[in-house]
Amino acid sequence: MAKNVAARRNVVPLRRSRGGPLVTHHEVINRALALELVRVTEHAAVAAARLRGRGDEMAADKAAVDAMRRELNQLAIHGTVVIGEGERDQAPMLFIGEEVGDLSGPRVDIALDPLEGATLCAKGQPNAIAVIAMAQPGSLLNAPDCYMDKVAIGPGYAEGIVSLDASPAENIYRLAKAKGVAIDEITACILDRPRHAKLIAAVRATGAAVRLITDGDVAAVIDVTDPAKTGVDIYLGVGGAPEGVLAAAALKCMGGRMQGRLILDTPESRRRAEAMGIDDFSRVYDVDDMASGNVLFAATGVTTGGLLAGVRFGPQGVTTDTIVMRSSTGTLRRIRAEHGLTAKFSAD
């Protein structure tokens, strides 16, 4: 009985570092794994970047998956993939429920997309990234592979500035007022899909600008955290639910605001949601509902986008651009790594 209560509360026993004080589970994650995640996303990004612009999404995605999986399995963790490439029967690698790592270290849940924006990579377009989030067991929403309605803004705003229950116009007005700017200084990022025709028209009717993207809504949500650099103030619209969890993990680390509501409009999607323990189909999830506790997040650019430069191959080696974040400290590190000719990548 006590064991079950501890599991529900996500209580992790303390362990003693060699010759030192007791170390908690979240300290183990912070100290040992933050920079290790950078290596994981770097390898996935380099593997995918070798196939940029070649028009083969599947080959680029497979290269990134293979590289990320190999690097993950070198980490001293007992990881479980909760957001991955699909279910076991649909994805040969990094499927939901797969255990990764050498299984010797702390238990962690992992959300990942080895190549977020496979189409962007295949076409050589901006904002393809390799991305991963890691947290204590039970901290990341195990979202089914369905759509999610989303609204997201960056850090520095009070709760309730934007809401899925508000109209697009109301969200734009509220954000402009909170920023202290005119509405025509607001830019909303929206996936360019037929389903968003009314949403796009409603945003433009306010006088705000719309930036349309073809893919890559994890990168697009992250863009709202630095409007001065990316030019994006708010993300609106329907995208993938797994991508929503990854985006929430990033916003958890950076202090951004986000709401998401699963779109479960078919018997199959509802069945899958129920199998994952979701019983309230109308629930609105905020950042903490999707990514709670101590979260680590890393993303490496595959193609150049708003926040990250793409992988660069040169005569002296390979250059990568990565952000790595920790929610427990609010730390964001930008790592521009130059890997010499002797560097060994999984794609080599």
Side-chain angles (χ1 to χ4, degrees):
M1 178 73 168
K3 182 178 179 182
N4 290 337
V5 171
R8 286 199 301 271
R9 292 180 180 173
N10 206 20
V11 175
V12 181
L14 298 175
R15 73 174 181 86
R16 188 175 298 278
S17 61
R18 185 175 300 175
L22 291 174
V23 180
T24 65
H25 183 286
H26 80 270
E27 288 171 334
V28 172
I29 296 177
N30 277 344
R31 296 176 183 177
L33 295 175
L35 294 181
E36 290 291 342
L37 289 189
V38 173
R39 183 168 57 85
V40 171
T41 57
E42 284 176 345
H43 279 252
V46 171
R50 296 182 189 279
L51 294 166
R52 281 184 307 215
R54 307 296 177 85
D56 193 336
E57 297 178 28
M58 293 184 64
D61 190 52
K62 183 179 185 303
V65 169
D66 291 348
M68 182 171 280
R69 188 175 192 271
R70 282 193 292 266
E71 294 306 311
L72 278 172
N73 282 336
Q74 295 182 40
L75 300 186
I77 59 172
H78 190 154
T80 300
V81 177
V82 297
I83 297 290
E85 291 288 289
E87 297 179 359
R88 179 190 292 269
D89 294 338
Q90 299 170 339
M93 288 187 176
L94 293 174
F95 54 84
I96 296 171
E98 181 175 356
E99 294 188 331
V100 295
D102 67 6
L103 309 185
S104 70
R107 286 188 174 272
V108 292
D109 282 355
I110 297 171
L112 53 83
D113 194 337
L115 180 55
E116 206 265 332
T119 301
L120 300 175
C121 178
K123 294 181 177 180
Q125 294 178 336
N127 270 337
I129 60 175
V131 60
I132 189 168
M134 182 180 291
Q136 294 147 279
S139 298
L140 299 173
L141 178 66
N142 194 357
D145 188 9
C146 66
Y147 285 123
M148 175 185 280
D149 195 9
K150 310 169 193 175
V151 58
I153 55 176
Y157 300 102
E159 186 176 355
I161 294 296
V162 295
S163 169
L164 285 177
D165 292 327
S167 68
E170 188 173 357
N171 281 325
I172 296 294
Y173 291 139
R174 288 178 181 176
L175 181 59
K177 182 178 180 180
K179 290 173 70 74
V181 300
I183 290 174
D184 62 8
E185 295 182 49
I186 298 294
T187 296
C189 184
I190 302 172
L191 276 169
D192 190 5
R193 299 288 189 272
R195 64 177 177 265
H196 288 150
K198 291 183 179 179
L199 171 62
I200 293 167
V203 172
R204 285 177 171 159
T206 68
V210 173
R211 178 179 297 178
L212 296 176
I213 58 171
T214 58
D215 288 284
D217 61 339
V218 174
V221 172
I222 297 173
D223 278 352
V224 305
T225 63
D226 193 355
K229 183 174 182 179
T230 66
V232 175
D233 300 288
I234 183 171
Y235 179 90
L236 293 164
V238 175
E243 289 83 356
V245 175
L246 276 164
L251 294 184
K252 171 71 174 179
C253 296
M254 303 177 81
R257 301 286 184 184
M258 178 177 176
Q259 288 191 348
R261 182 189 286 118
L262 298 175
I263 299 177
L264 303 168
D265 53 0
T266 66
E268 174 62 17
S269 65
R270 290 191 289 272
R271 182 194 66 77
R272 295 182 66 180
E274 288 173 344
M276 291 181 172
I278 296 170
D279 54 12
D280 183 354
F281 296 164
S282 61
R283 178 176 176 178
V284 173
Y285 297 88
D286 64 18
V287 168
D288 287 327
D289 294 323
M290 291 185 275
S292 60
N294 180 37
V295 179
L296 300 181
F297 178 92
T300 300
V302 177
T303 60
T304 297
L307 280 179
L308 292 166
V311 175
R312 296 180 291 285
F313 298 99
Q316 302 304 315
V318 180
T319 302
T320 55
D321 190 22
T322 302
I323 53 173
V324 58
M325 301 178 276
R326 293 163 50 187
S327 68
S328 62
T329 61
T331 302
L332 184 153
R333 288 184 172 89
R334 298 181 182 274
I335 300 176
R336 182 181 183 274
E338 297 181 1
H339 312 271
L341 294 172
T342 59
K344 297 297 182 182
F345 285 97
S346 300
D348 288 348

